């Protein structure tokens, strides 16, 4: 892998990890369009450590508060009703589906699920779902001539049932093209949460799954010796820096803007993929293991 490839792939990872457009699909498509050699699943999982480090730093106060309250609640029953302590449990509970399904469908995730035709389908379908969820949220917030403004839920109202549903939505992102943030935010909006609450829990929920995956791949890569470490570390640093900027921008964006630009982008990209594959301009298996 060249330094230029590692720079571009790190840039793509950082730009797309937190936006509802699927980072795995974009890494896959970048390699396919550029005709590059497969960077490998280990490369992607390790660079995701960079973007999740950005999450840890950006939400450091929230995370420190949640972790502290959760640990103290293990020995102090009075703290078990504390919202931060409960959030610690809800992040753990919400992480169960992706852990179970990730192990169960590992072979499919690394094989058939990477077909560009499936990615095109998930880009379009999940784009439509995100659009519907965003429209429902906007209608509640704006009200109407014969409809009152409906107050949406915050994370203080998050319970075990909703936490598991969020987790199942996140697990859908094991299929490239779905998008971890897109699926969890859509699920949150459909359950009646605010955009900010859905996005915040989406980012917090991703931390255990992505870090566990990254550490696992890091261990295997170190033992196997099949990773270009200087380029991979460089890409991880790029992903961290860009990812941090994207989080800061995205959290401000969703407080006043809708997700429709992402919806339109997903649908157009999915249609373009179908056209390219259908016309034999692009193989459905091009760059298959990228991302």
């Amino acid at each position: 892998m060249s330094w230029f490839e590692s720079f571009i792939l790190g840039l793509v990872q950082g730009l797309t990890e937190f936006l509802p457009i699927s980072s795995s699909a974009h890494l896959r498509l970048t390699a396919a369009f550029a005709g590059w050699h497969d960077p490998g699943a280990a490369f992607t999982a390790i660079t995701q450590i960079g973007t999740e480090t950005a999450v840890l730093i950006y939400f450091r106060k929230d995370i420190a508060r949640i972790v502290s309250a959760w640990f103290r609640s293990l020995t102090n029953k009075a703290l078990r009703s504390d919202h931060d302590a409960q959030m610690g449990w809800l992040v753990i509970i919400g992480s169960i589906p992706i852990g179970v399904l990730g192990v169960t469908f590992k072979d499919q995730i690394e094989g058939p699920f990477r077909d560009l035709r499936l990615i095109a389908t998930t880009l379009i379908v999940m784009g439509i779902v995100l659009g519907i969820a965003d429209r429902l949220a906007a209608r509640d917030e704006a009200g109407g001539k014969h409809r009152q403004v409906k107050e949406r839920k915050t994370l203080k109202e998050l319970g075990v049932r909703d936490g598991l549903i969020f987790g199942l939505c996140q697990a859908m992102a094991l299929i490239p093209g779905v998008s971890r943030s897109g699926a969890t935010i859509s699920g949150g909006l459909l359950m009646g949460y605010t955009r900010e609450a859905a996005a915040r829990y989406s980012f917090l929920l991703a931390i255990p799954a992505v870090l566990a995956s990254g550490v696992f791949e890091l261990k295997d890569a170190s033992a196997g010796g099949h990773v270009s470490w200087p380029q991979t570390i460089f890409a991880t640093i790029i992903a961290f820096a860009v990812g941090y900027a994207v989080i800061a921008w995205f959290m401000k964006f969703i407080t006043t803007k809708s997700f429709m630009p992402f919806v339109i982008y997903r649908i157009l990209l999915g249609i373009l993929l179908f056209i390219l594959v259908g016309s034999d301009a692009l193989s459905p298996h091009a760059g298959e293991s990228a991302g």
Side-chain angles (χ1 to χ4, degrees):
M1 176 184 293
S2 70
W3 288 101
F4 178 71
E5 288 178 44
S6 67
F7 172 78
I8 295 299
L9 292 173
L11 184 64
V12 170
Q13 170 63 30
L15 283 172
T16 60
E17 174 68 17
F18 306 115
L19 301 181
I21 56 176
S22 179
S23 62
S24 58
H26 280 75
L27 286 171
R28 167 95 165 77
L29 294 174
T30 299
F33 288 149
W36 292 338
H37 292 297
D38 173 17
F43 173 89
T44 304
I46 293 168
T47 55
Q48 283 181 330
I49 294 177
T51 48
E52 286 312 305
T53 301
V55 173
L56 291 173
I57 294 176
Y58 186 85
F59 292 106
R60 60 190 180 278
K61 293 181 180 178
D62 298 50
I63 294 170
R65 196 175 62 247
I66 290 169
V67 171
S68 174
W70 182 79
F71 272 111
R72 287 185 288 117
S73 72
L74 295 177
T75 55
N76 187 341
K77 291 183 179 181
L79 289 175
R80 292 176 188 175
S81 60
D82 181 80
H83 171 67
D84 289 326
Q86 292 176 346
M87 277 297 294
W89 284 113
L90 289 170
V91 169
I92 293 172
I93 291 169
S95 300
I96 293 173
I98 196 169
V100 173
L101 294 176
V103 172
T104 303
F105 295 102
K106 185 177 185 296
D107 292 339
Q108 289 82 357
I109 292 166
E110 295 178 351
F113 286 1
R114 306 195 66 79
D115 190 299
L116 289 181
R117 292 164 295 192
L118 177 58
I119 291 176
T121 302
T122 54
L123 282 169
I124 294 171
V125 171
M126 287 306 300
I128 294 172
V129 171
L130 178 61
I132 293 172
D134 184 66
R135 178 58 185 156
L136 291 175
R139 187 178 65 177
D140 287 347
E141 294 165 357
K145 187 176 180 180
H146 304 291
R147 187 176 59 249
Q148 290 185 335
V149 173
K150 183 179 179 181
E151 188 173 343
R152 303 207 118 222
K153 294 187 285 187
T154 67
L155 288 184
K156 288 188 177 180
E157 298 167 81
L158 182 66
V160 174
R161 171 186 166 275
D162 287 358
L164 278 173
I165 293 175
F166 266 112
L168 288 170
C169 291
Q170 176 181 240
M172 292 172 60
L174 291 168
I175 304 173
V178 170
S179 169
R180 186 190 311 274
S181 64
T184 50
I185 289 173
S186 294
L189 294 179
L190 291 172
M191 287 189 288
Y193 288 88
T194 64
R195 289 186 178 89
E196 193 273 341
R200 185 174 291 268
Y201 186 61
S202 170
F203 291 154
L204 293 176
L205 190 60
I207 294 172
V210 173
L211 289 182
S213 173
V215 170
F216 180 79
E217 290 290 354
L218 187 64
K219 176 178 66 68
D220 282 1
S222 298
H226 56 275
V227 172
S228 302
W229 284 109
Q231 290 88 341
T232 301
I233 292 172
F234 176 61
T236 302
I237 294 172
I238 296 296
F240 160 74
V242 176
Y244 187 89
V246 170
I247 295 174
W249 172 82
F250 187 61
M251 293 304 294
K252 292 179 181 178
F253 176 87
I254 60 175
T255 58
T256 57
K257 308 291 184 181
S258 81
F259 290 113
M260 289 312 296
F262 304 112
V263 172
I264 295 169
Y265 173 78
R266 289 180 65 106
I267 293 174
L268 291 178
L269 180 58
I271 292 172
L272 175 62
L273 275 179
F274 272 127
I275 292 173
L276 292 175
V277 173
S279 63
D280 294 327
L282 188 66
S283 167
H285 306 291
E288 189 155 42
S289 297

